[in-house]
Amino acid sequence: MLLSFDPDSLNLPAGHFVGGAYLRAEGVLPMHRPSDGKAFGACPVASAELVDQAVVTAKVALRESGWATCPPRQRTKILHRWADLIETEAVTLARLEAFCSTRPVGELIDGDIAATAEQIRFFAEFADKEGSELVPTGAASLGMVMSEPYGVVGAITPWNVPLSMAGWKLGPALAAGNAVVIKPSEMTPYSTLLMAELAERAGLPSGLINVVLGDGPTTGAAITGHPDIAKVSFTGSTGAGAAILANIAATGIKPMTLELGGKSPQLVFADADLDRAINAVASSILSNAGQACVAGSRLIVEERVADQVIAGILARMEAARAAPTWDETSRYSPIISERQRQRIGQVVRAAIAAGAECLTGGSEMDHPGYFYQPTLLAGVEQASPAVQDEIFGPVLTVQTFREEDEALALADHPTYGLAAGLFTRDLSRALRCTHALQAGTIWVNRYGRSRDHILPTGGYKRSGIGKDLGREAYLANRKTKSVLIAL
Ligand code: NAD
């Protein structure tokens, strides 16, 4: 199947999607294609009034469809049909995703799209399996923990893997019997719009997914502060997460899930399968050009194998070739915006000025798109912003150690704790380090998410609150009521 496409002849969904219909709206925020830097249009910004209209639509749809109270298997069946349709329409979805995001079209069908369809099926199966439970109380009473959906969930997603993020939010919220008002990133709204359309084609009652487009301060804040949004599910930067917390505190208390930033270490011990470690470390920083929350951006390698590991990673980095996301052979992503590419350049230049050695990369690629060379920085101080800050680009720092304790001390980050990688053949060491590392996910002798959707994902420290994926994500979309009946 030929996936490559001409970006100038793609039909883009237009406007907000509320109550099953597109609401055309004036474009406000200029949009650019990262693959060639071309300006192509503008994203509308939903006002607080429009967000309110979407919330009211969701409430009415919940009431009229009986989505929360129907036999739960009905929800399961509709969500399975949605997952099937996502696979049937995979090429259209892949092209919409690749058009203005950083995701190469050739990686999407078997990657993001297949995983999203599987996740929706995974969550669909919870609908008739998780619920209220009877609990032991005295014989003169009946105790029950009654589980109920929240009502309208507000979801806000980032640009780095837009379709996957929409799936993470929509699957569990809908399976659990809620309606959703979702705001994708203003830079990458299209695949979320098509996802909503496909859900309705699969039989989801109109108005249960409403997509409002816009920025954080206007549209995002209107969602998180809306009195009838009962729960907020956010994925994005730690800074925006803090702004959301403040807004929720100012406008009314409500539960929230925050999936935030990271600066994840990868520890390579000398006894590891080094080829495996090299591949995993290189892939994790090259994938999506390091624009992943769990990018393993800090290599911490045992001194006596450092040269060998660094040589292997350099070979992978130097093979990266810039090509637009709509070329199906592309495997190396552009940076999302010129502004973000400038920021990456600044951090790298500052690190070099402070004494870091740039082993490869360190500048923009010669291409009309926003590509940045894969970059490896050695000789970095632990306090350097290159080691401490989330760069969100293809920049890997390398530090060496002699003793396990030293490796763990380097790995520990004062504020982030999203993920960590660990490569060793010593089982005892693997378990010791797994206990010691303060992160929400530890990968041992591998790095990156698998298709084991049962494993929750979320951060320690300022990398987040609560979990996506796994049973926890389903339960996070239900509230519980304790009931005690005197007999
Ligand atoms: P961002 O925080 O700038 O924006 C994310 C979303 O939040 C966008 O839709 C944006 O419009 C909205 N937003 C921004 N400010 C807001 C506010 N005050 N109120 C409400 N909404 C607001 O992040 P980004 O640049 O789109 O994405 C990259 C970030 O996302 C990185 O920090 C990355 O680590 C993080 N991320 C985390 C995970 C995870 O699972 N932990 C997954 C993917 C990305």
Side-chain angles (χ1 to χ4, degrees), residues 156-159 183 186 216 234-237 240 259-261 293 390 392:
I156 298 177
T157 53
W159 53 262
K183 188 195 89 59
E186 54 275 39
F234 171 75
T235 297
S237 61
E259 297 295 339
L260 308 177
C293 53
E390 185 182 48
F392 229 57

Side-chain angles (χ1 to χ4, degrees), residues 94 117 183 210 235 237 249 290 343 351 380 403 431 458:
K183 188 195 89 59
N210 302 283
T235 297
S237 61
R343 200 189 140 250
V380 282
E403 302 295 336
L431 288 173

Side-chain angles (χ1 to χ4, degrees), residues 301-365:
V301 56
E302 193 164 340
E303 198 175 86
R304 60 199 162 99
V305 293
D307 286 350
Q308 188 183 340
V309 171
I310 288 170
I313 294 169
L314 283 175
R316 283 280 308 274
M317 284 186 151
E318 283 163 3
R321 297 285 166 264
T325 47
W326 45 79
D327 172 345
E328 70 177 282
T329 65
S330 163
R331 291 294 176 271
Y332 186 64
S333 297
I335 305 304
I336 188 67
S337 65
E338 181 55 25
R339 189 160 151 253
Q340 169 61 4
R341 182 164 70 158
Q342 295 292 334
R343 200 189 140 250
I344 294 169
Q346 276 163 14
V347 179
V348 169
R349 282 193 301 277
I352 295 169
E357 189 185 355
C358 184
L359 300 181
T360 189
S363 55
E364 298 170 358
M365 281 169 139

Side-chain angles (χ1 to χ4, degrees), residues 155-161 165 168-169 183-188 214-224 234-244 247 258-263 291-294 336 340 390 392 416 418 449 457-459 463-464 468:
I156 298 177
T157 53
W159 53 262
N160 67 321
V161 270
M165 294 298 105
W168 282 19
K169 306 296 184 199
K183 188 195 89 59
S185 165
E186 54 275 39
M187 290 186 269
T188 54
D215 61 5
T218 307
T219 313
I223 293 175
T224 58
F234 171 75
T235 297
S237 61
T238 297
I244 287 171
N247 194 39
L258 302 178
E259 297 295 339
L260 308 177
K263 187 71 184 175
Q291 299 164 106
C293 53
V294 292
I336 188 67
Q340 169 61 4
E390 185 182 48
F392 229 57
Y416 287 127
L418 193 56
R449 292 204 175 84
T457 181
S463 286
D468 271 341

